[in-house]
Amino acid sequence: MAFDIEMIKKVYEKMPERVDKAREIVGRPLTLSEKILYSHLWDGNPTTAFTRGKDYVDFAPDRIACQDATAQMALLQFMHANKEKVAVPTTVHCDHLILAKNGAKQDLEFATKQSKEVFDFLSSVSNKYGIGFWKPGSGIIHQIVLENYAFPGGMMIGTDSHTVNAGGLGMVAIGVGGADAVDVMAGMSWELKFPKLIGVKLTGKLNGWTAPKDVILKVADILTVKGGTGAIVEYFGEGAKSMSCTGKGTICNMGAEIGATTSTFGYDESMRRYLSATGRQDVVDAADKVASYLTADDEVYANPEQYFDQLIEINLSELEPHINGPFTPDRGTPVSKMKAEAEANGWPIKVEWGLIGSCTNSSYEDMTRAVSIVEQAIENNITPKAEFGINPGSEQIRYTIERDGIIETFEKLGTKVFTNACGPCIGQWDREGADKQEKNTIVHSFNRNFSKRADGNPNTHAFVTSPEMVAALAISGRLDFNPITDTLINDNGEAVKLNPPHGDELPTKGFDVEDPGFQAPAKDGSGVQVIVDPKSERLELLEPFKAWDGKNITGAKLLIKAFGKCTTDHISMAGPWLRFRGHLDNISNNMLIGAVNAFNQATNKVKNQLTGEYDAVPAVQRAYKAAGVPSVVVGDHNYGEGSSREHAAMEPRFLGVKAVLVKSFARIHETNLKKQGMLGLTFANEADYDKIQENDTINFLDLTEFAPGKPLTLEFVHEDGSKDIILANHTYNEGQIEWFKAGSALNLIAAGKA
């Protein structure tokens, strides 16, 4: 039986009435995304037709998922909400705090000891508040959610940007910051601007070397890292129906890399097969009763240009394998053009590592297709030229592929099998020699490839591709190897051409596992004690942020004018910093250390206007905080791209930054700033970014009149006494302005005023 089956049945019971009412009010056929959104309104049956990209709407998500790195801060905040139990089904998954180095067994043992107090905290706080807890080694959050919790037509939020993976099972699953999750845990509504809709029509069928990963790599190339911002991407067509459920999950997973609110697919046979194979036939039985409500109305897919804000069409039969990168996931190169591109750009041709896994590509099908290439290398006496590593997506996947001989085959090629965890994908990789910062190339099946992300080396050129292409490129040892046309020379000096990959969508013997790693919470958690050592360097109880004093902010100093791409990795790095995710003071020492200073093109080197000296960004900000001097951060386009980590908002808030003024925001980061009581502002005129000078002092002239739809006026006083008056737009509504006034959204919850 599925987890929370009664909750799922209730969702399906309400869905027909709510969708029918929405169709009547909107006055036209509905997309799948709209059906799910309108059936999850906080107020119940729809009464209003919402305007996409404009109206803020309150929703009632069905469940919440948190990974260990973000769960710490989310649950530390929830402890201030004065609630006895979470209001909706919630789970915590320990997948981020396990360093990949020696192999699964040793790495898990080391992590369990090193992060014991964090895991103990998460276990106990989950036990107390009715939260399901998945232990270290159980697997990657999004794979476990797909295997156990995701269901067609549901709405889920999660404290990780790749929560969107569950769209592969027909959900609207959205990544959020911890404060958003706390709202829903506390029994409140969740607010989202009603998304725009991008339709992707898939025709034809994948063949040969092309995989579902290539669909999203192509879409990322088309839309770029910000092209999906504020939109849900809905995939449909015969090509969509021909793909596996886990393949759909891969595509939805990387929707985070185009800034999309989420991505989804309509309910179909592949989902039925997957639900049944993972022990959830009861979900299939319930879903089949409302199947027409779990996909778009027929008219929508027949005439998609009438119903979507943007339409993309991809013929899968003509799609070529893609290799995206380096340094950004939207730079797409078809495999046939890689040789010329690499040559023209001076990318290192030699591939040092091939890595398979992560929440994006660690399914049974992924592993079988990749191992089909490995088998050919073994059979043809080909020694791989690069090192190999894999991360199974869950203990269930690991156990099953071990039973079926897949791990043994990988190991014959010298593959290092890491723990069922995120590992190198999030920078949890102790890669030998990375500290030398040599220029090199790696290929992986992950989702992100920002500078320094995998191994901390800014000169590692990371390329994103499918698991089967990772296998081929790692075996060949060359980035420009095209398995469709090229041959390899084996150890006998013979030319060998690899056959296209093949694999099983689902295990023919079924899934199996001895201990999945799940801990159910206590039925009554009132007696459970949650202990946080006041001397801990890993965990720290939170103090509420101070409310706004009702006055204009004046005399603020420019902390940094960030140049170019500034992701959440730049604002609050992962990797070794993950160990401080539960300690706001300690992790604030990584604030903006990866951002490039526009005035000297250096990282972690900004001017302290109090002394005239240059220092690390956190050090300068701590000096301003000690002196009672407010500060402002200025940034470029799509500021806060990437992870949902709210630490990127909480750290500047904690250290005294008052406002972030940029050309544009990534959706989750803008919301996180609002939740923490900060001002997230955008230039009314983007050219004003160029007017900001290094020694500027900033005065807010009309913050006392802060209101929805009314720009704020900022005065930038330059060192020579001249001034620039700059208008700053914002998207705050009345409720969000109350968050600012109270000091944070959580302060309102704790006061019982939210």
Side-chain angles (χ1 to χ4, degrees), residues 438-449:
E438 294 173 343
K439 189 175 179 180
N440 75 102
T441 285
I442 65 172
V443 293
H444 60 57
S445 68
F446 309 158
N447 40 50
R448 292 190 177 138
N449 57 347

Side-chain angles (χ1 to χ4, degrees), residues 164-419:
V164 295
N165 188 81
L169 252 175
M171 290 194 95
V172 161
I174 301 174
V176 299
D180 273 351
V182 169
D183 283 356
V184 180
M185 288 181 198
M188 295 166 52
S189 62
W190 173 63
E191 182 186 69
L192 177 73
K193 187 182 284 186
F194 205 84
K196 292 185 177 182
L197 299 177
I198 298 173
V200 180
K201 183 178 181 180
L202 302 178
T203 61
K205 189 174 183 179
L206 294 170
N207 62 86
W209 281 89
T210 311
K213 184 64 162 273
D214 297 304
V215 176
I216 185 57
L217 294 179
K218 178 65 175 177
V219 170
D221 189 45
I222 293 169
L223 288 175
T224 77
V225 290
K226 59 182 180 179
T229 303
I232 292 179
V233 182
E234 186 169 323
Y235 292 86
F236 62 95
E238 288 307 307
K241 291 180 180 178
S242 71
M243 285 189 291
S244 68
C245 177
T246 51
K248 292 178 173 72
T250 291
I251 292 169
C252 292
N253 181 289
M254 272 194 70
E257 274 54 72
I258 56 172
T261 301
T262 192
S263 305
T264 195
F265 285 78
Y267 181 51
D268 64 11
E269 279 302 319
S270 73
M271 296 184 191
R272 290 185 177 94
R273 292 193 298 271
Y274 186 74
L275 285 165
S276 180
T278 50
R280 291 174 287 171
Q281 183 61 39
D282 47 356
V283 176
V284 176
D285 296 340
D288 281 347
K289 294 175 183 176
V290 292
S292 65
Y293 292 91
L294 302 178
T295 189
D297 291 332
D298 291 341
E299 299 92 330
V300 171
Y301 292 161
N303 301 286
E305 64 282 347
Q306 297 178 23
Y307 301 97
F308 292 99
D309 299 293
Q310 184 177 352
L311 184 64
I312 296 169
E313 187 167 337
I314 298 173
N315 185 340
L316 301 184
S317 301
E318 298 174 357
L319 184 64
E320 201 178 331
H322 273 58
I323 305 167
N324 283 29
F327 306 126
T328 187
D330 61 345
R331 181 171 185 165
T333 303
V335 64
S336 64
K337 296 181 180 177
M338 179 51 81
K339 186 178 181 67
E341 279 291 301
E343 221 169 77
N345 290 282
W347 298 335
I349 293 296
K350 183 184 178 186
V351 173
E352 306 278 355
W353 268 89
L355 296 158
I356 296 171
S358 91
C359 61
T360 320
N361 280 106
S362 55
S363 68
Y364 186 84
E365 182 179 38
D366 289 327
M367 295 298 174
T368 58
R369 284 177 65 85
V371 85
S372 75
I373 306 304
V374 171
E375 286 171 342
Q376 293 182 60
I378 295 168
E379 290 167 4
N380 288 284
N381 201 23
I382 301 170
T383 300
K385 303 300 187 292
E387 294 189 74
F388 239 126
I390 63 169
N391 285 81
S394 68
E395 175 58 15
Q396 178 168 270
I397 295 292
R398 189 211 63 78
Y399 189 93
T400 304
I401 64 174
E402 182 178 54
R403 178 201 69 191
D404 293 349
I406 293 169
I407 286 182
E408 183 183 1
T409 302
F410 270 119
E411 289 179 333
K412 285 178 182 176
L413 214 63
T415 303
K416 188 167 282 188
V417 181
F418 294 121
T419 314

Side-chain angles (χ1 to χ4, degrees), residues 89-112:
T90 302
T91 52
V92 167
H93 305 259
C94 295
D95 62 357
H96 273 56
L97 299 177
I98 302 169
L99 185 70
K101 183 178 182 180
N102 298 309
K105 188 175 185 294
Q106 286 176 268
D107 293 347
L108 181 58
E109 288 175 354
F110 178 77
T112 303

Side-chain angles (χ1 to χ4, degrees), residues 585-607:
D585 191 12
N586 283 346
I587 199 168
S588 292
N589 288 322
N590 80 358
M591 184 192 72
L592 285 159
I593 63 175
V596 176
N597 182 353
F599 299 110
N600 58 16
Q601 295 299 303
T603 57
N604 205 24
K605 188 178 181 182
V606 295
K607 190 171 186 179

Side-chain angles (χ1 to χ4, degrees), residues 444-504:
H444 60 57
S445 68
F446 309 158
N447 40 50
R448 292 190 177 138
N449 57 347
F450 305 143
S451 174
K452 299 184 181 181
R453 183 170 175 92
D455 61 4
N457 178 2
N459 299 311
T460 291
H461 292 53
F463 292 86
V464 183
T465 189
S466 67
E468 44 267 61
M469 281 295 295
V470 169
L473 296 176
I475 289 166
S476 73
R478 292 185 63 85
L479 181 64
D480 59 358
F481 174 68
N482 182 352
I484 301 171
T485 58
D486 299 347
T487 57
L488 296 172
I489 304 300
N490 70 6
D491 296 348
N492 303 325
E494 302 161 334
V496 177
K497 191 168 186 295
L498 296 174
N499 294 319
H502 61 85
D504 295 324

Side-chain angles (χ1 to χ4, degrees), residues 487-562:
T487 57
L488 296 172
I489 304 300
N490 70 6
D491 296 348
N492 303 325
E494 302 161 334
V496 177
K497 191 168 186 295
L498 296 174
N499 294 319
H502 61 85
D504 295 324
E505 175 184 339
L506 297 163
T508 55
K509 299 178 186 175
F511 286 109
D512 201 1
V513 65
E514 283 186 349
D515 177 11
F518 176 69
Q519 169 191 293
K523 290 183 179 179
D524 179 5
S526 58
V528 177
Q529 293 295 313
V530 179
I531 301 172
V532 176
D533 184 348
K535 297 179 182 178
S536 173
E537 294 185 351
R538 301 288 301 273
L539 295 163
E540 178 185 51
L541 295 176
L542 296 175
E543 292 290 334
F545 292 132
K546 290 182 180 178
W548 177 48
D549 64 7
K551 301 175 183 177
N552 280 319
I553 298 167
T554 58
K557 300 299 182 184
L558 176 71
L559 175 62
I560 186 172
K561 177 179 174 179

